[in-house]
Amino acid sequence: MAVAVTTKTAWKLQEIMAHSSNVSSVVLGKGSGRMLATGGDDCRVNIWSVSKPNCIMSLTGHTTPIESLQVNPNEKLIVAGSRSGSIRVWDLEAAKVLRTLPGHKANICSLHFHPFGSFVASGSLDTNIKLWDVRRKGCIFTFKGHTEAVRCLRFSPDGKWVASAADDHTVKLWDLTAGKLMFEFTGHTGPVNVVEFHPNEYLLASGSSDRTVRFWDLEKFQVVSCIEEEATPVRCVLFSPDGCCLYSGFQDSLRVYGWEPERCFDVVLVNWGKVADLSISNNQLIGVSFAQSTVSSFVVDLNRVPKSDSVPQGLIRDDQPLVPPTPTGSSLRRIYDRPSTSCSKPQSRVKHNSESERHSPSSEDDRDEKESKAEIQNQEDYKEIFQPKNAICRTPPRTEPFPAPPEDEPGTAKEAVKPSQAVDVQTSLPKQELPDPVQRPLNPSSTSLSRTEPSVIPAARNEPIGLKASDFLPAVKNQSQTELVDEEAMSQIRKGHETMCVVLTSRHKNLDAVRAVWSTSDIKNSLDSAVAINDLSVVVDLLNIVNQKASLWKLDLCTIVLPQIEKLLQSKYESYVQTGCTSLKLILQRFLPLITDILAAPPSVGVDISREERLHKCKLCYKQLKNISNVVKNKSGLSGRHGSAFRELLLLMAVLD
């Protein structure tokens, strides 16, 4: 009699060496869930088929690192935005650049294709949102209203609105027809990372670094519910196609939410780190993440994940949208009115235009084509996916679900990758100049690197850097031996940790001393005492509190804090750098105009002691800011959210040059 094998709910599918330098952006094709695009600091966009180790196509033309990517709904076009603000659109079937769209003045942080027409929306570090017509290669409209970088854009399912999420803690809804702001949703207390429309109802979900997911009613323009107190920032969200639930990607976990009332149906532990994008195919959720030059893909079996309190599992397939059920009670909400014409008509019109452009390009198109190339790395996969013989079979063809590994063999996916890692590194790289062989040990998948301490210690991680709990436990000779009880395990782990206890106790005493000064005096004296202690961790703890209330900041406070910020920005701890960036940004926004005005003002007549003191403080702050600007310039070349924060600071500090 065959024994039923229990399979995993979530597992790692593959890890590939995606670029010769750091990966800066990844995106999944939402139409199939099988197409993957990656952008890197090598200024290339590489196209992959999920679960296959070889690069299908490599797109070149950008001259600065890729910051944002998006694939259109039918997976024929891909758009990429770079650090310089340039946008390029490629036709994957023709394997050539279709459009170059200049206009933004800073990093492209977000992109999204219109669901029907040939339009693209872009959001930038310059705080602007632009709507582009790909056919006419021009900017139709520029939406202005955000005060910080626009991190995410989404068109509504009916194509009439666009929602934007930004670092200014707001979500804005824009009317494309009227060309103006419809409503601004406030409530988040941190940068808003993602926003997503419900597939059927007038409902919007947003996820933020304040660790909350909020649901907004788009008819009444009010909050429906808010899910709070999560452990890490929300990185990506995706409604199930039937609209029953919201899948939210967090650090190393997937959470399934309902909103009326707010509740969490399930939490699935997935070791994907900082997940970057989600897609659903064959009732499986595909998630991708990246670290350094590698990209990892993960699978969650949605048949085993509850998405409501009452619906039996297995009856609803997430990759087959259903007719929306008639809402009842508090969930009564308007449904989107789709255009009466099918989406195939505008698509065929776009194809007709692009065909004519292929045969009679303008001189500008000729120049773009010379600068931009599409290097086909795998001819067989390219023809199968992007040039199928049967026109009805669109990219990539529908495939079977990924097989789940057995539950009783943990680590199978990781171990399966190891024997072929050397092959993956050689075959998955695009055909370009290979790195110097001396640099090969820097491969993040190599064993030597995984045991060394990273140059920057992340703010959130699963285990202490360089430490393994198993190293402190007694060796177990017999695997069947009874496991240690909690008390014995804790006593073993505590051995040799007196030093750490002393450090933590000392930090607690220092914080108590600073708190005592604050309660009896003012914020300036408490900061003086924190700096005098000569412990950056205490300064960080204090700044994290002060940063939450801008009214506490004064000019004399800046003279104390700025030297500490310079140290924080050069720290190896990510959390220290984040705090330093937040404090510096606040100082630049509130005090830099004042400092420059006072320094530029003509000397006063007579003796004005208060003015002389203010002038002295401004000169001191200006000198410190000039020193910090050198650090910011050096760090602005970093990729990801870190580099983006430094580049934003660099823009704010431009008046110092």
Side-chain angles (χ1 to χ4, degrees):
M1 182 176 177
V3 179
V5 179
T6 305
T7 57
K8 291 184 177 181
T9 302
W11 66 95
K12 186 175 185 177
L13 183 66
Q14 189 186 36
E15 181 176 298
I16 56 174
M17 192 82 165
H19 290 265
S20 59
S21 59
N22 286 342
V23 177
S24 51
S25 180
V26 297
V27 70
L28 285 162
K30 299 299 186 289
S32 65
R34 292 293 190 270
M35 178 181 169
L36 172 67
T38 63
D41 286 354
D42 57 5
C43 309
R44 286 175 173 258
V45 176
N46 292 338
I47 309 298
W48 312 78
S49 180
V50 176
S51 83
K52 292 188 178 182
N54 298 331
C55 176
I56 299 172
M57 191 189 313
S58 186
L59 309 173
T60 62
H62 277 296
T63 56
T64 54
I66 309 300
E67 292 287 326
S68 183
L69 290 168
Q70 195 63 231
V71 181
N72 78 329
N74 62 13
E75 299 180 356
K76 292 181 180 180
L77 304 178
I78 184 170
V79 60
S82 71
R83 187 173 296 174
S84 65
S86 173
I87 300 171
R88 288 176 187 259
V89 183
W90 282 274
D91 186 324
L92 297 178
E93 286 185 333
K96 61 174 283 185
V97 69
L98 190 62
R99 287 286 179 259
T100 299
L101 307 171
H104 283 290
K105 299 177 182 178
N107 302 34
I108 304 298
C109 302
S110 51
L111 293 162
H112 200 239
F113 274 99
H114 192 275
F116 310 119
S118 56
F119 304 106
V120 173
S122 61
S124 170
L125 190 66
D126 63 14
T127 73
N128 293 333
I129 300 166
K130 290 182 180 291
L131 184 64
W132 308 86
D133 188 333
V134 175
R135 296 168 300 181
R136 300 174 184 174
K137 58 179 179 182
C139 178
I140 302 173
F141 201 83
T142 300
F143 296 98
K144 297 184 178 183
H146 284 292
T147 57
E148 297 188 38
V150 182
R151 292 296 173 188
C152 185
L153 292 171
R154 288 293 182 270
F155 283 104
S156 60
D158 59 4
K160 296 178 181 178
W161 305 331
V162 65
S164 59
D167 283 354
D168 58 11
H169 308 182
T170 66
V171 175
K172 295 181 187 290
L173 188 66
W174 309 86
D175 188 323
L176 298 180
T177 305
K180 64 180 182 179
L181 178 68
M182 284 184 63
F183 197 79
E184 177 181 312
F185 298 99
T186 58
H188 284 294
T189 58
V192 188
N193 302 323
V194 287
V195 67
E196 191 75 28
F197 282 96
H198 190 280
N200 303 313
E201 301 177 12
Y202 273 33
L203 184 74
L204 186 72
S206 59
S208 168
S209 293
D210 64 8
R211 300 178 296 176
T212 67
V213 177
R214 290 178 180 267
F215 297 91
W216 312 93
D217 188 310
L218 300 183
E219 191 175 9
K220 300 177 181 177
F221 297 112
Q222 62 186 25
V223 65
V224 175
S225 57
C226 177
I227 297 173
E228 302 178 347
E229 302 302 325
E230 299 299 349
T232 57
V234 187
R235 302 195 62 81
C236 48
V237 295
L238 180 66
F239 278 103
S240 60
D242 57 16
C244 288
C245 65
L246 180 78
Y247 298 110
S248 300
F250 291 82
Q251 174 91 16
D252 288 328
S253 71
L254 174 74
R255 296 171 185 265
V256 188
Y257 293 132
W259 49 90
E260 285 179 321
E262 65 269 19
R263 59 209 185 278
C264 182
F265 297 130
D266 198 8
V267 178
V268 182
L269 298 180
V270 191
N271 193 28
W272 54 25
K274 294 181 178 180
V275 61
D277 197 21
L278 302 174
S279 183
I280 293 175
S281 174
N282 292 317
N283 215 31
Q284 291 179 332
L285 184 139
I286 317 297
V288 288
S289 61
F290 61 92
Q292 295 182 332
S293 57
T294 60
V295 173
S296 302
S297 52
F298 297 80
V299 182
V300 179
D301 185 358
L302 297 181
N303 290 310
R304 301 179 59 183
V305 179
K307 57 180 181 179
S308 69
D309 294 325
S310 58
V311 178
Q313 294 302 298
L315 298 182
I316 296 178
R317 289 180 60 84
D318 265 339
D319 57 340
Q320 297 177 357
L322 304 180
V323 177
T326 303
T328 58
S330 61
S331 64
L332 186 62
R333 197 171 284 113
R334 281 185 64 183
I335 306 297
Y336 290 108
D337 297 323
R338 261 69 170 191
S340 57
T341 56
S342 65
C343 61
S344 62
K345 287 187 178 180
Q347 286 171 5
S348 63
R349 191 160 57 246
V350 171
K351 188 168 184 179
H352 171 74
N353 290 339
S354 62
E355 286 290 345
S356 63
E357 286 153 7
R358 290 172 199 162
H359 291 98
S360 57
S362 64
S363 59
E364 187 177 344
D365 290 334
D366 280 335
R367 187 170 64 254
D368 284 342
E369 195 167 345
K370 289 177 182 177
E371 295 174 355
S372 306
K373 295 180 181 178
E375 301 173 3
I376 299 172
Q377 308 290 330
N378 191 316
Q379 193 72 33
E380 184 178 340
D381 283 348
Y382 169 75
K383 287 184 177 179
E384 176 189 354
I385 295 174
F386 296 110
Q387 293 182 343
K389 293 179 181 179
N390 183 0
I392 298 176
C393 178
R394 249 321 277 155
T395 115
R398 174 72 72 174
T399 56
E400 293 298 317
F402 295 115
E407 185 69 54
D408 57 349
E409 295 181 13
T412 301
K414 290 183 180 179
E415 292 168 8
V417 176
K418 287 183 180 178
S420 61
Q421 278 177 349
V423 179
D424 284 346
V425 171
Q426 294 174 4
T427 59
S428 62
L429 275 172
K431 292 180 181 177
Q432 56 186 21
E433 293 184 12
L434 290 173
D436 189 345
V438 178
Q439 297 178 355
R440 284 299 175 90
L442 293 177
N443 176 1
S445 61
S446 64
T447 308
S448 60
L449 182 66
S450 61
R451 293 181 179 176
T452 59
E453 184 175 331
S455 58
V456 177
I457 298 178
R461 52 190 183 273
N462 295 330
E463 58 185 21
I465 295 295
L467 296 178
K468 292 183 179 178
S470 58
D471 295 341
F472 297 91
L473 296 176
V476 180
K477 296 181 180 179
N478 185 2
Q479 296 296 328
S480 62
Q481 181 177 338
T482 306
E483 293 185 358
L484 292 173
V485 297
D486 291 346
E487 290 78 9
E488 293 176 354
M490 289 303 297
S491 65
Q492 291 286 347
I493 293 174
R494 283 197 187 102
K495 287 181 179 178
H497 282 65
E498 288 82 2
T499 305
M500 178 58 71
C501 293
V502 169
V503 170
L504 293 177
T505 303
S506 173
R507 181 174 176 179
H508 187 262
K509 288 181 179 178
N510 291 337
L511 287 171
D512 278 342
V514 172
R515 185 168 178 265
V517 174
W518 193 335
S519 59
T520 57
S521 184
D522 58 10
I523 178 64
K524 180 180 180 299
N525 289 331
S526 60
L527 258 173
D528 278 329
S529 64
V531 172
I533 291 171
N534 198 25
D535 185 352
L536 270 182
S537 63
V538 177
V539 175
V540 168
D541 290 337
L542 190 56
L543 285 179
N544 283 334
I545 297 171
V546 179
N547 287 342
Q548 296 178 19
K549 195 168 184 180
S551 60
L552 291 173
W553 287 86
K554 302 288 186 255
L555 191 59
D556 52 357
L557 209 64
C558 298
T559 60
I560 303 170
V561 173
L562 283 172
Q564 304 305 311
I565 289 177
E566 186 175 0
K567 296 178 184 177
L568 294 178
L569 296 182
Q570 300 177 79
S571 172
K572 66 178 181 179
Y573 296 103
E574 185 184 24
S575 58
Y576 286 20
V577 177
Q578 289 173 347
T579 301
C581 287
T582 304
S583 299
L584 180 57
K585 184 177 177 181
L586 198 150
I587 290 173
L588 292 172
Q589 290 175 335
R590 288 180 64 88
F591 296 102
L592 187 56
L594 173 68
I595 292 171
T596 53
D597 288 346
I598 290 177
L599 293 178
S604 60
V605 179
V607 178
D608 187 342
I609 296 177
S610 61
R611 187 185 183 283
E612 291 297 327
E613 288 179 352
R614 190 162 59 250
L615 181 62
H616 174 71
K617 292 174 186 176
C618 289
K619 287 181 177 178
L620 190 58
C621 288
Y622 186 84
K623 182 180 179 181
Q624 292 166 345
L625 285 172
K626 287 288 286 184
N627 294 336
I628 293 175
S629 68
N630 295 326
V631 178
V632 173
K633 285 178 183 177
N634 294 333
K635 299 274 188 178
S636 62
L638 297 174
S639 60
R641 176 63 67 88
H642 240 23
S644 180
F646 280 111
R647 287 188 288 277
E648 186 175 2
L649 291 173
L650 195 60
L651 287 175
L652 293 173
M653 302 179 83
V655 296
L656 295 174
D657 297 332

